[in-house]
Amino acid sequence: KDGSLDKIINKWASSSKTSSQVTSLTSTTSAGQKATPVKSKYVIASDSSFAPFVFQNSSNQYIGIDMDLIKAIAEDQGFEIEITNPGFDAAINAVQSGQADGMIAGMSVTDARKATFDFSESYYTANTILGVKESSNIASYEDLKGKTVGVKNGTASQTFLTENQSKYGYKIKTFADGSSMYDSLNTGAIDAVMDDEPVLKYSISQGQKLKTPIAGTPIGETAFAVKKGANPELIQMFNNGLANLKANGEFQKILDKYLASESSSASTSTVDETTIWGLLQNNYKQLLSGLGITLALALISFAIAIVIGIIFGMFSVSPYRSLRVISEIFVDVIRGIPLMILAAFIFWGIPNFIESITGQQSPINDFVAGTIALSLNAAAYIAEIVRGGIQAVPVGQMEASRSLGISYGKTMRKIILPQATKLMLPNFVNQFVIALKDTTIVSAIGLVELFQTGKIIIARNYQSFKMYAILAIFYLVIITLLTRLAKRLEKRIR
Ligand code: GLN
């Protein structure tokens, strides 16, 4: 009566017009058109292992339908692209936070996603389907009661599983990437996986001992996406390019290349990757470059952390209360936040915040974000090491020196610090080892350091036992060498 109902309906019904505008994007574009790129280069984010759409071949290049398609379209339309493969969920985050301009990752057009993404015309259509081991006796959704189903975070399959969970009573385990999910299925840690039908079928065609006992459920068309309202020309160029590739038969060729027969030449490896030696031989370049990033991260962030840590450590023993409080706040805040959240906050959170204020996309480089997070984290601990070292020097020495008329600064420099440094050194070495190991945590933001490199390799060949053993040995050797070096340095300083 008082018009509230009408207001509510108007409020929401008028906004539903925007979503129907998005749907009109799926009208067919005709071939022969061109749009003009606005940026000199577009960053395209994708999945890390989602064969046959995107995966690594044995020489560690990303290939697949999506990779070939976006490259062919960029060439057809004359724009530059840079492809990154952080994984599906990370790619979604990258587009939303402006780290990437678009994403292509076998991505389904769902109603929920239309609220935050603009989609191109579709180039494929997929079901989500349940996959189990060949030996499993799961034959229906009802059989899943009490069982654990794995799914990749952020996917349409995850939505499907969540919606039907109370009906069938299974547990859901969420994975960051396809490789760890399939690994877990193979090792029996989970009973089933939910993934896109072409992906499961493809892995079965490649010799994976899996089966799909239940028919799939449609999850939508597969399309290219940009952040809602951003880079409209990119969608236009994608649609134009797709239309051209369809017209000249190029698109069909790409599909045939990956889907035609079981013996996809793309994924047959030249070197036997089932032995440790074969794995090393085939991947040493990639592993070394991952190691390089890990070392650079550890060394640079530790150097920065020492500077920040010493400053705050000195603050914490300063005679001025305000400095002590500042130091205490810094240590408490940084030490109280898990490193992974700190890294995610810097990499995704802050750019998202800046964009919401300035309206400008301001992405931050993943290496820089990782370095900042590691530096702050280690700095907080180093500040405490410095405080502990200084306070371990008996307070009588400061008093004696001051009563002889020597200034605070001079007493610190000449009497307290030389003794405190000796006490701190072993802790510094310890902290450095921790910093090096902590670099694995920042792989969460998609940074391809040593650990992430290993995961990507496993995504391709499923050799998790041997590959993780190789990684463990890599870290062990590096850390042992560096601690030896540090010990020698320590002795010399003493
Ligand atoms: N098609 C599914 C989705 O869009 C999965 C995509 C993927 O895992 N790369 O959610």
Side-chain angles (χ1 to χ4, degrees):
K1 230 191 234 167
D2 70 2
S4 301
L5 177 63
D6 282 340
K7 256 193 221 147
I8 294 172
I9 289 175
N10 275 337
K11 179 174 161 199
W12 296 102
S14 57
S15 75
S16 78
K17 270 183 209 130
T18 39
S19 80
S20 65
Q21 276 161 14
V22 177
T23 346
S24 68
L25 264 175
T26 48
S27 66
T28 32
T29 310
S30 52
Q33 300 191 81
K34 244 188 173 148
T36 325
V38 175
K39 296 188 177 179
S40 59
K41 191 196 251 174
Y42 290 91
V43 178
I44 309 292
S46 187
D47 209 334
S48 53
S49 63
F50 200 58
F53 294 100
V54 37
F55 58 109
Q56 281 198 315
N57 66 6
S58 53
S59 33
N60 302 323
Q61 280 147 342
Y62 282 100
I63 57 167
I65 296 171
D66 286 2
M67 298 293 97
D68 286 11
L69 186 58
I70 189 71
K71 283 180 198 151
I73 286 175
E75 196 181 310
D76 180 85
Q77 293 289 304
F79 62 96
E80 293 291 321
I81 52 170
E82 182 192 322
I83 302 179
T84 63
N85 297 75
F88 187 73
D89 195 33
I92 286 195
N93 276 316
V95 173
Q96 286 306 331
S97 60
Q99 314 275 3
D101 301 303
M103 80 180 271
I104 185 162
M107 186 181 186
S108 306
V109 183
T110 63
D111 284 338
R113 282 181 188 157
K114 280 183 194 164
T116 44
F117 288 98
D118 287 337
F119 285 98
S120 72
E121 283 173 22
S122 72
Y123 58 90
Y124 206 79
T125 175
N127 292 335
T128 178
I129 199 167
L130 193 83
V132 294
K133 276 204 196 181
E134 229 169 37
S135 54
S136 165
N137 45 23
I138 292 170
S140 67
Y141 287 124
E142 282 75 20
D143 293 343
L144 289 173
K145 199 170 173 59
K147 300 255 155 68
T148 306
V149 188
V151 71
K152 241 162 61 184
N153 202 19
T155 60
S157 304
Q158 186 186 31
T159 313
F160 174 88
L161 281 180
T162 316
E163 279 168 1
N164 292 289
Q165 185 168 24
S166 54
K167 192 158 144 203
Y168 297 115
Y170 44 73
K171 293 188 231 48
I172 302 175
K173 190 160 161 55
T174 314
F175 292 89
D177 58 278
S179 66
S180 44
M181 176 171 82
Y182 282 97
D183 265 354
S184 301
L185 181 64
N186 282 327
T187 56
I190 53 176
D191 305 288
V193 298
M194 197 90 197
D195 204 356
D196 288 20
E197 186 162 350
V199 176
L200 259 157
K201 293 272 159 74
Y202 184 84
S203 71
I204 293 171
S205 79
Q206 297 298 308
Q208 284 294 301
K209 304 238 170 309
L210 304 174
K211 63 180 180 187
T212 54
I214 312 168
T217 309
I219 41 171
E221 313 257 86
T222 306
F224 173 79
V226 296
K227 181 176 177 175
K228 200 173 179 61
N231 306 308
E233 78 284 0
L234 190 53
I235 289 288
Q236 201 52 54
M237 291 188 292
F238 189 93
N239 287 341
N240 293 343
L242 184 64
N244 289 345
L245 297 182
K246 278 185 177 163
N248 66 19
E250 194 67 32
F251 179 64
Q252 193 56 44
K253 259 194 220 149
I254 294 177
L255 289 185
D256 288 347
K257 177 171 162 198
Y258 293 102
L259 299 175
S261 69
E262 308 212 337
S263 61
S264 158
S265 61
S267 67
T268 43
S269 173
T270 42
V271 180
D272 177 20
E273 285 204 321
T274 57
T275 64
I276 293 228
W277 176 239
L279 280 169
L280 283 173
Q281 213 180 341
N282 220 21
N283 302 300
Y284 72 93
K285 274 201 202 122
Q286 217 184 351
L287 285 169
L288 286 181
S289 106
L291 179 65
I293 302 280
T294 289
L295 286 177
L297 265 178
L299 292 170
I300 297 174
S301 68
F302 198 69
I304 300 174
I306 287 200
V307 176
I308 305 178
I310 290 180
I311 293 175
F312 281 105
M314 298 301 291
F315 278 10
S316 71
V317 294
S318 140
Y320 302 107
R321 204 181 119 77
S322 53
L323 292 184
R324 290 200 304 271
V325 171
I326 291 175
S327 160
E328 206 170 301
I329 292 175
F330 171 78
V331 172
D332 282 349
V333 168
I334 298 295
R335 215 169 42 175
I337 301 173
L339 177 55
M340 200 187 268
I341 293 180
L342 191 62
F345 185 75
I346 294 170
F347 187 61
W348 288 311
I350 290 179
N352 177 278
F353 176 68
I354 296 178
E355 193 191 341
S356 69
I357 289 182
T358 62
Q360 291 257 314
Q361 296 199 337
S362 43
I364 173 169
N365 171 285
D366 55 1
F367 185 84
V368 175
T371 308
I372 296 176
L374 285 166
S375 306
L376 289 175
N377 187 60
Y381 291 95
I382 290 175
E384 284 295 275
I385 295 175
V386 171
R387 185 175 67 88
I390 292 174
Q391 286 177 345
V393 178
V395 70
Q397 297 199 18
M398 171 66 86
E399 287 165 359
S401 169
R402 294 306 306 275
S403 66
L404 289 174
I406 303 171
S407 72
Y408 176 83
K410 200 165 184 186
T411 310
M412 261 297 168
R413 268 195 332 263
K414 299 276 176 175
I415 299 167
I416 312 290
L417 282 181
Q419 301 178 72
T421 310
K422 270 190 202 170
L423 297 167
M424 290 176 215
L425 279 176
N427 294 328
F428 274 135
V429 176
N430 207 18
Q431 190 58 44
F432 178 71
V433 172
I434 294 175
L436 202 139
K437 293 203 275 194
D438 277 354
T439 56
T440 52
I441 293 175
V442 300
S443 67
I445 58 173
L447 187 58
V448 187
E449 37 65 79
L450 186 54
F451 177 45
Q452 183 82 350
T453 308
K455 288 208 288 188
I456 292 170
I457 296 171
I458 295 170
R460 192 188 66 236
N461 57 27
Y462 302 102
Q463 298 293 326
S464 49
F465 175 71
K466 287 174 192 133
M467 206 54 228
Y468 284 131
I470 292 177
L471 287 188
I473 293 169
F474 258 73
Y475 281 106
L476 187 64
V477 170
I478 290 300
I479 288 173
T480 314
L481 286 179
L482 285 174
T483 23
R484 284 280 143 76
L485 196 78
K487 286 248 173 73
R488 200 172 288 175
L489 218 70
E490 189 187 320
K491 241 184 228 154
R492 200 180 292 168
I493 295 176
R494 271 175 193 276

